[in-house]
């Protein structure tokens, strides 16, 4: 264990990986532990998010296939097609299995986090309902983004679901165990919570990470409508600040329909990614009238303008198109076509 007190109150940026800087007072929350290089964190593990800095607690892990287009791909004639993705020019990209965690975010930190804290959404229980519901303070965190810590507080994380899902267990390390309500909630909501694929690609030191989630199907007057949500993280790995100015999506369903989506910024914002605040994360939704499809960046030129990217502007005035890694919209052969998965 690192014998160094973790100081925290308002979420901001880490300094030296041991404490945070804040515009207000500091408060002790616990002691840092050494991050795990092997194995998984247990349910109830307290954590600090390495990128966004919030306090949280791990509920349960997911095993996801990560398709990283920044990693050199090796040819393997015996490759398994089920573990292959494709980039914007059709080159095969192999996936590798990686651990992510379902996490509760401390509600005290939510107002200061550059990520949507109500981004985990699901369809209502009624088949014909168009309602969309959100679970506040849920996130998906990669194993390497977890900085574990311990606390003597019996309720170190403030979240409306903390005591419903976990109870203090002094005989366990970490000293919190899952209640039956957490196990039942995980089993019931598994279809729309499931994280199965992660896609990454970097352009001009800006890394884009996309995680798609299938939400279910709804009937309409023209046929079934299939819904997905997708979570996107933009992270500046360079020295100069960049600002997102515009987005452009191409959405292709296997039914042959092609849709273009273009607009300024994302979710009404044009975030700046700087050295002090290098990342921004948001979620959105898409629906198509087919059980499968794709969203992707396409390298096409029309009137000398590149289509299908995030348009970024660097602080030195240089503008560029940041590639979005292509990803599939897969209903995973939903046996309940026309019914919700919530």
């Amino acid at each position: 264990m690192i014998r160094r007190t973790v100081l925290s109150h308002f979420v901001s940026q880490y300094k030296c990986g041991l404490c945070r800087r804040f515009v207000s007072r500091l408060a002790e929350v616990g002691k840092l532990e050494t991050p795990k290089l092997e194995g998984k964190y247990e349910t109830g593990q307290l954590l600090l998010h390495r990128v966004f800095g919030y306090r949280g607690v791990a509920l349960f892990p997911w095993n996801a296939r990560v398709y990283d287009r920044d990693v050199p791909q090796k040819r393997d004639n015996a490759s398994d097609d089920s573990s292959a993705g494709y980039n914007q020019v059709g080159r095969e990209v192999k996936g590798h299995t990686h651990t992510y965690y379902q996490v509760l975010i401390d509600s005290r930190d939510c107002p200061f986090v550059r990520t949507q804290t109500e981004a985990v959404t699901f369809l209502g229980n009624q088949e014909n309902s168009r309602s969309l519901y959100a679970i506040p303070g849920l996130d998906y965190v990669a194993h390497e983004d977890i900085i574990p810590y311990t606390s003597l507080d019996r309720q170190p994380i403030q979240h409306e679901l903390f005591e419903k899902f976990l109870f203090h267990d002094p005989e366990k390390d970490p000293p919190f165990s899952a209640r039956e309500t957490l196990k039942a909630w995980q089993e019931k909501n598994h279809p729309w919570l499931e994280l199965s694929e992660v896609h990454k690609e970097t352009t001009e030191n800006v890394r884009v990470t996309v995680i798609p989630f299938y939400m279910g199907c709804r009937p309409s007057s023209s046929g079934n409508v299939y819904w997905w949500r997708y979570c996107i993280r933009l992270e500046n790995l360079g020295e100069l600040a960049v600002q997102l100015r515009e987005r452009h999506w191409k959405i292709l369903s296997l039914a042959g329909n092609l849709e273009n989506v273009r607009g300024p910024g994302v979710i009404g914002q044009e975030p700046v990614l700087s050295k002090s605040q290098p990342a921004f994360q948001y979620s959105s939704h898409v629906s198509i009238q087919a059980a499968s499809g794709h969203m992707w960046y396409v390298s096409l030129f029309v009137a000398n303008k590149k289509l299908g990217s995030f348009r970024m502007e660097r602080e030195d005035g240089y503008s560029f198109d940041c590639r979005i890694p292509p990803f599939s919209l897969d209903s995973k052969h939903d046996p309940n076509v026309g019914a919700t998965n919530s």
Side-chain angles (χ1 to χ4, degrees):
M1 177 181 293
I2 302 175
R3 299 295 182 180
R4 183 77 177 267
T5 299
V6 180
L7 299 175
S8 166
H9 185 65
F10 294 115
V11 176
S12 184
Q13 195 66 25
Y14 282 105
K15 187 175 182 180
C16 300
L18 295 173
C19 61
R20 308 180 196 175
R21 281 182 309 198
F22 304 96
V23 295
S24 188
R25 68 183 179 86
L26 297 175
E28 180 178 323
V29 299
K31 295 184 183 296
L32 289 177
E33 292 183 332
T34 303
K36 285 188 175 182
L37 298 180
E38 296 181 356
K40 295 181 180 180
Y41 293 106
E42 299 292 331
T43 294
Q45 175 64 61
L46 300 177
L47 63 98
L48 304 174
H49 195 293
R50 188 180 297 276
V51 177
F52 293 109
Y54 63 70
R55 290 164 286 183
V57 60
L59 298 181
F60 46 82
W62 294 103
N63 290 323
R65 297 294 296 179
V66 177
Y67 300 99
D68 192 341
R69 286 155 181 82
D70 302 328
V71 176
Q73 302 296 314
K74 296 180 180 180
R75 286 288 182 182
D76 184 356
N77 294 330
S79 63
D80 181 359
D81 290 340
S82 65
S83 65
Y86 294 89
N87 69 3
Q88 68 276 5
V89 294
R91 177 171 59 85
E92 182 179 357
V93 179
K94 287 186 179 181
H96 66 276
T97 302
H98 195 66
T99 302
Y100 282 71
Y101 299 88
Q102 194 85 60
V103 166
L104 289 183
I105 303 174
D106 194 306
S107 59
R108 294 168 294 184
D109 295 341
C110 286
F112 309 99
V113 180
R114 299 189 81 204
T115 179
Q116 287 174 290
T117 55
E118 294 191 353
V120 177
T121 54
F122 62 99
L123 298 173
N125 290 324
Q126 300 301 317
E127 181 175 317
N128 294 318
S129 171
R130 295 185 178 181
S131 298
L132 191 66
Y133 299 89
I135 301 292
L138 275 185
D139 199 7
Y140 295 82
V141 183
H143 184 89
E144 67 273 14
D145 284 340
I146 285 181
I147 299 178
Y149 76 94
T150 59
S151 172
L152 298 178
D153 193 341
R154 293 176 66 92
Q155 190 178 355
I157 303 298
Q158 291 189 13
H159 190 288
E160 61 186 69
L161 296 176
F162 184 86
E163 289 191 317
K164 293 180 180 179
F165 286 168
L166 301 166
F167 68 93
H168 189 261
D169 184 355
E171 302 300 320
K172 181 177 173 291
D173 184 22
F176 299 97
S177 293
R179 295 185 186 272
E180 289 302 318
T181 51
L182 174 59
K183 299 173 184 177
W185 183 81
Q186 178 185 5
E187 182 178 353
K188 176 183 177 182
N189 299 295
H190 183 281
W192 58 266
L193 286 174
E194 181 183 6
L195 183 157
S196 58
E197 291 186 2
V198 178
H199 301 264
K200 297 182 178 184
E201 188 163 359
T202 302
T203 307
E204 299 281 356
N205 288 320
V206 176
R207 183 166 60 200
V208 180
T209 302
V210 184
I211 307 176
F213 301 88
Y214 178 58
M215 296 175 62
C217 179
R218 282 287 189 266
S220 70
S221 58
S222 57
N224 289 325
V225 178
Y226 297 83
W227 284 90
W228 288 262
R229 76 179 185 275
Y230 54 93
C231 178
I232 293 185
R233 182 196 294 185
L234 293 151
E235 190 170 359
N236 184 7
L237 307 178
E239 296 295 322
L240 299 178
V242 296
Q243 184 170 14
L244 190 156
R245 291 298 192 182
E246 187 180 78
R247 73 188 185 282
H248 183 199
W249 287 104
K250 282 181 174 288
I251 307 167
L252 175 68
S253 74
L254 295 188
N257 299 316
L258 177 64
E259 180 182 359
N260 284 279
V261 179
R262 181 188 294 275
V266 290
I267 61 169
Q269 300 184 50
E270 296 183 11
V272 175
L273 310 178
S274 62
K275 286 289 288 184
S276 61
Q277 293 185 312
F280 179 81
Q281 185 170 292
Y282 76 97
S283 287
S284 191
H285 303 86
V286 63
S287 63
I288 58 177
Q289 292 183 317
S292 297
H294 292 82
M295 293 181 70
W296 82 110
Y297 164 92
V298 181
S299 222
L300 297 175
F301 288 87
V302 177
N304 295 321
K305 189 171 184 180
K306 188 179 288 188
L307 305 177
S309 63
F310 288 128
R311 187 68 173 173
M312 312 296 293
E313 182 179 333
R314 211 161 58 193
E315 64 176 300
D316 61 3
Y318 175 66
S319 295
F320 60 94
D321 291 318
C322 184
R323 291 187 295 272
I324 302 166
F327 59 95
S328 63
L329 302 172
D330 187 358
S331 64
K332 305 185 187 304
H333 309 290
D334 183 359
N336 301 309
V337 173
T340 179
N341 269 333
S342 61

